[in-house]
mmCIF file of all heavy atoms in Angstrom:
data_model
loop_
_atom_site.group_PDB
_atom_site.id
_atom_site.type_symbol
_atom_site.label_atom_id
_atom_site.label_comp_id
_atom_site.label_asym_id
_atom_site.label_seq_id
_atom_site.Cartn_x
_atom_site.Cartn_y
_atom_site.Cartn_z
ATOM 1 N N GLY C 34 -1.668 -8.914 -6.782
ATOM 2 C CA GLY C 34 -2.844 -8.597 -5.982
ATOM 3 C C GLY C 34 -3.987 -8.170 -6.881
ATOM 4 O O GLY C 34 -3.767 -7.531 -7.920
ATOM 5 N N TYR C 35 -5.193 -8.535 -6.506
ATOM 6 C CA TYR C 35 -6.367 -8.206 -7.297
ATOM 7 C C TYR C 35 -7.518 -7.858 -6.373
ATOM 8 O O TYR C 35 -7.801 -8.577 -5.422
ATOM 9 C CB TYR C 35 -6.738 -9.399 -8.192
ATOM 10 C CG TYR C 35 -8.004 -9.196 -8.998
ATOM 11 C CD1 TYR C 35 -8.203 -8.025 -9.731
ATOM 12 C CD2 TYR C 35 -8.995 -10.173 -9.030
ATOM 13 C CE1 TYR C 35 -9.365 -7.839 -10.470
ATOM 14 C CE2 TYR C 35 -10.152 -10.001 -9.777
ATOM 15 C CZ TYR C 35 -10.339 -8.836 -10.496
ATOM 16 O OH TYR C 35 -11.484 -8.651 -11.219
ATOM 17 N N ASN C 36 -8.140 -6.733 -6.652
ATOM 18 C CA ASN C 36 -9.319 -6.306 -5.891
ATOM 19 C C ASN C 36 -10.515 -6.312 -6.830
ATOM 20 O O ASN C 36 -10.740 -5.342 -7.558
ATOM 21 C CB ASN C 36 -9.078 -4.901 -5.323
ATOM 22 C CG ASN C 36 -10.335 -4.312 -4.702
ATOM 23 O OD1 ASN C 36 -11.286 -5.030 -4.387
ATOM 24 N ND2 ASN C 36 -10.336 -3.003 -4.536
ATOM 25 N N PRO C 37 -11.289 -7.422 -6.846
ATOM 26 C CA PRO C 37 -12.379 -7.546 -7.816
ATOM 27 C C PRO C 37 -13.477 -6.499 -7.635
ATOM 28 O O PRO C 37 -14.189 -6.179 -8.592
ATOM 29 C CB PRO C 37 -12.915 -8.970 -7.581
ATOM 30 C CG PRO C 37 -12.397 -9.389 -6.264
ATOM 31 C CD PRO C 37 -11.150 -8.617 -5.991
ATOM 32 N N LEU C 38 -13.596 -5.947 -6.425
ATOM 33 C CA LEU C 38 -14.635 -4.944 -6.184
ATOM 34 C C LEU C 38 -14.457 -3.718 -7.060
ATOM 35 O O LEU C 38 -15.412 -3.079 -7.492
ATOM 36 C CB LEU C 38 -14.612 -4.499 -4.721
ATOM 37 C CG LEU C 38 -15.394 -5.305 -3.713
ATOM 38 C CD1 LEU C 38 -15.307 -4.630 -2.358
ATOM 39 C CD2 LEU C 38 -16.854 -5.422 -4.146
ATOM 40 N N CYS C 39 -13.185 -3.376 -7.313
ATOM 41 C CA CYS C 39 -12.886 -2.140 -8.027
ATOM 42 C C CYS C 39 -12.149 -2.413 -9.338
ATOM 43 O O CYS C 39 -12.122 -1.567 -10.224
ATOM 44 C CB CYS C 39 -12.045 -1.250 -7.104
ATOM 45 S SG CYS C 39 -11.605 0.348 -7.762
ATOM 46 N N GLY C 40 -11.564 -3.618 -9.445
ATOM 47 C CA GLY C 40 -10.792 -3.953 -10.637
ATOM 48 C C GLY C 40 -9.326 -3.588 -10.541
ATOM 49 O O GLY C 40 -8.613 -3.617 -11.545
ATOM 50 N N ASP C 41 -8.868 -3.247 -9.342
ATOM 51 C CA ASP C 41 -7.458 -2.882 -9.161
ATOM 52 C C ASP C 41 -6.574 -4.124 -9.263
ATOM 53 O O ASP C 41 -6.865 -5.145 -8.643
ATOM 54 C CB ASP C 41 -7.226 -2.259 -7.770
ATOM 55 C CG ASP C 41 -8.200 -1.145 -7.461
ATOM 56 O OD1 ASP C 41 -8.422 -0.305 -8.347
ATOM 57 O OD2 ASP C 41 -8.730 -1.108 -6.329
ATOM 58 N N ARG C 42 -5.499 -4.004 -10.028
ATOM 59 C CA ARG C 42 -4.521 -5.094 -10.147
ATOM 60 C C ARG C 42 -3.133 -4.551 -9.883
ATOM 61 O O ARG C 42 -2.785 -3.486 -10.388
ATOM 62 C CB ARG C 42 -4.521 -5.681 -11.562
ATOM 63 C CG ARG C 42 -5.696 -6.565 -11.855
ATOM 64 C CD ARG C 42 -5.602 -7.136 -13.267
ATOM 65 N NE ARG C 42 -6.844 -7.829 -13.597
ATOM 66 C CZ ARG C 42 -7.125 -9.067 -13.210
ATOM 67 N NH1 ARG C 42 -6.241 -9.746 -12.513
ATOM 68 N NH2 ARG C 42 -8.281 -9.628 -13.518
ATOM 69 N N SER C 121 -16.318 0.901 0.731
ATOM 70 C CA SER C 121 -16.073 0.247 -0.551
ATOM 71 C C SER C 121 -14.667 0.522 -1.069
ATOM 72 O O SER C 121 -14.184 -0.174 -1.963
ATOM 73 C CB SER C 121 -17.107 0.698 -1.583
ATOM 74 O OG SER C 121 -16.960 2.084 -1.821
ATOM 75 N N LYS C 124 -10.615 -1.649 0.505
ATOM 76 C CA LYS C 124 -9.835 -2.704 -0.153
ATOM 77 C C LYS C 124 -8.904 -2.143 -1.221
ATOM 78 O O LYS C 124 -7.890 -2.751 -1.536
ATOM 79 C CB LYS C 124 -10.763 -3.768 -0.732
ATOM 80 C CG LYS C 124 -11.361 -4.602 0.373
ATOM 81 C CD LYS C 124 -12.370 -5.609 -0.099
ATOM 82 C CE LYS C 124 -12.816 -6.447 1.106
ATOM 83 N NZ LYS C 124 -13.906 -7.348 0.741
ATOM 84 N N CYS C 125 -9.243 -0.987 -1.774
ATOM 85 C CA CYS C 125 -8.336 -0.329 -2.721
ATOM 86 C C CYS C 125 -7.049 0.064 -1.985
ATOM 87 O O CYS C 125 -5.953 -0.069 -2.527
ATOM 88 C CB CYS C 125 -8.981 0.926 -3.298
ATOM 89 S SG CYS C 125 -10.546 0.630 -4.146
ATOM 90 N N LEU C 128 -4.970 -3.214 -0.743
ATOM 91 C CA LEU C 128 -4.500 -4.172 -1.762
ATOM 92 C C LEU C 128 -2.974 -4.291 -1.786
ATOM 93 O O LEU C 128 -2.426 -5.401 -1.743
ATOM 94 C CB LEU C 128 -5.022 -3.758 -3.145
ATOM 95 C CG LEU C 128 -4.575 -4.640 -4.307
ATOM 96 C CD1 LEU C 128 -5.121 -6.051 -4.161
ATOM 97 C CD2 LEU C 128 -5.017 -4.036 -5.643
ATOM 98 N N THR C 146 -8.476 -9.495 -2.564
ATOM 99 C CA THR C 146 -8.997 -8.871 -1.352
ATOM 100 C C THR C 146 -10.304 -9.507 -0.939
ATOM 101 O O THR C 146 -10.830 -9.224 0.123
ATOM 102 C CB THR C 146 -9.227 -7.366 -1.565
ATOM 103 O OG1 THR C 146 -10.034 -7.184 -2.721
ATOM 104 C CG2 THR C 146 -7.915 -6.639 -1.745
ATOM 105 N N GLU C 147 -10.870 -10.359 -1.797
ATOM 106 C CA GLU C 147 -12.122 -11.046 -1.437
ATOM 107 C C GLU C 147 -11.847 -12.215 -0.521
ATOM 108 O O GLU C 147 -10.887 -12.932 -0.687
ATOM 109 C CB GLU C 147 -12.842 -11.527 -2.695
ATOM 110 C CG GLU C 147 -13.521 -10.388 -3.411
ATOM 111 C CD GLU C 147 -14.464 -9.585 -2.499
ATOM 112 O OE1 GLU C 147 -15.547 -10.099 -2.191
ATOM 113 O OE2 GLU C 147 -14.114 -8.476 -2.086
#
Side-chain angles (χ1 to χ4, degrees):
Y35 176 48
N36 171 18
L38 274 184
C39 182
D41 309 315
R42 285 181 188 279
S121 64
K124 287 176 176 174
C125 302
L128 178 64
T146 53
E147 284 306 286

